[in-house]
Amino acid sequence: VGYSLERLYDPSALPHFINAEPVLNEVASFVRYTNTYKGDGAATQIFGEVDSSQLQAILDYHTPGGVGATRHSAKLTLRHSPEWEKWNGFASQWKSQVEFAEFVEENMIDILEPEGAKLLEMVTNFQSNRTVTFASKVNIRNGTIAMTFNDEEDPKATGQVGIPQRLTLALAVYDGEGREEVHALVRHRVESGKLRLMIKIDNAATKKRDAFKRICAAVGAATKVDVLQGSAHSTAGSARINRSSGY
């Protein structure tokens, strides 16, 4: 009778590697977790992908001379700040004068320029002149457009309301980060005498990319691990790197 020797798998035995992937939502927690487990007999690599606003630290990555298990990682999911989501959610949509005025009034704390008194004057004019027909406009040198209107109930009554062409906002792109200046363009059009207004955030994608890179730089400095711009895994499961972060 022949015999053969086989290795039996013991399902109760612990693996020789850590199999974990916590998802964190705070930069400090991500750095602390990475520093706790990095270099534990394996290489560590951090990847950052701006489109998904995520960083991933693989704590048992490959080395130039060997293959890592890649079973232990930590993921940081950055959340946009409430004010960033609010302004970007309102932007790029045509609004009535009243809707525009109410939004500006509710979020005036985020506006650096024009000053509050000028904005309150615009808001008051918009809210008190709901049944008017807008006609001509005049460009004023101080960056304001003066819209002339006629009262629908009293055609002889006319007036003007000033609309800023630009707003300077103080917004944080990501929750927990400091606020920075963000410029917004104010677009307007008149349809059948009714005024429509729209806010366009100037270079929103660039602001997001720059804020993400700053976070990557801070994480790299705190962990002493270079952050590569890209994703750790493609759809096929292999590593994909767009370019080195250069930090």
Side-chain angles (χ1 to χ4, degrees):
V1 179
Y3 296 92
S4 63
L5 181 64
E6 296 182 4
R7 183 182 298 274
L8 298 179
Y9 172 69
D10 182 0
S12 64
L14 293 174
H16 298 294
F17 52 82
I18 299 175
N19 188 5
E21 188 183 0
V23 178
L24 308 168
N25 54 28
E26 180 189 56
V27 173
S29 297
F30 179 78
V31 168
R32 186 162 58 250
Y33 189 93
T34 301
N35 284 337
T36 298
Y37 291 100
K38 73 172 185 177
D40 188 15
T44 295
Q45 184 59 65
I46 301 177
F47 297 87
E49 191 170 55
V50 65
D51 291 340
S52 61
S53 296
Q54 289 184 335
L55 285 84
Q56 183 178 20
I58 302 181
L59 302 159
D60 53 355
Y61 202 62
H62 317 306
T63 64
V67 177
T70 66
R71 299 290 187 89
H72 187 197
S73 66
K75 185 174 291 185
L76 170 63
T77 300
L78 296 169
R79 297 174 297 187
H80 289 118
S81 70
E83 63 269 20
W84 179 265
E85 290 190 339
K86 189 178 297 183
W87 280 92
N88 278 274
F90 185 81
S92 302
Q93 301 178 62
W94 290 106
K95 301 292 185 179
S96 70
Q97 66 188 61
V98 175
E99 290 173 320
F100 183 86
E102 289 176 347
F103 181 84
V104 168
E105 184 179 32
E106 292 168 2
N107 298 281
M108 200 170 294
I109 190 173
D110 301 326
I111 303 174
L112 297 177
E113 295 180 357
E115 61 185 21
K118 292 182 179 179
L119 284 175
L120 280 174
E121 181 182 358
M122 181 201 71
V123 168
T124 301
N125 281 330
F126 275 162
Q127 292 177 337
S128 60
N129 294 288
R130 294 169 178 257
T131 57
V132 297
T133 300
F134 285 88
S136 61
K137 67 177 182 178
V138 178
N139 291 321
I140 303 176
R141 290 183 180 180
N142 64 359
T144 302
I145 296 175
M147 298 293 300
T148 301
F149 61 83
N150 300 313
D151 193 320
E152 293 178 357
E153 298 178 358
D154 183 4
K156 295 182 179 180
T158 62
Q160 280 190 340
V161 59
I163 304 171
Q165 294 179 285
R166 295 175 67 88
L167 300 176
T168 301
L169 312 174
L171 306 177
V173 177
Y174 291 109
D175 199 19
E177 299 299 308
R179 293 187 179 227
E180 57 183 291
E181 283 193 6
V182 176
H183 297 289
L185 307 176
V186 180
R187 304 299 191 196
H188 70 280
R189 68 185 183 191
V190 177
E191 299 175 340
S192 302
K194 299 300 180 183
L195 181 64
R196 295 289 182 266
L197 296 142
M198 178 171 64
I199 289 175
K200 296 278 289 185
I201 304 297
D202 196 17
N203 295 319
T206 300
K207 284 289 183 183
K208 177 182 175 180
R209 183 173 65 248
D210 291 347
F212 185 80
K213 285 185 175 181
R214 286 195 298 272
I215 292 175
C216 288
V219 168
T223 60
K224 295 181 173 57
V225 178
D226 287 338
V227 179
L228 302 182
Q229 293 295 310
S231 174
H233 302 287
S234 67
T235 54
S238 59
R240 184 185 81 238
I241 304 172
N242 293 333
R243 61 180 178 81
S244 174
S245 65
Y247 297 126

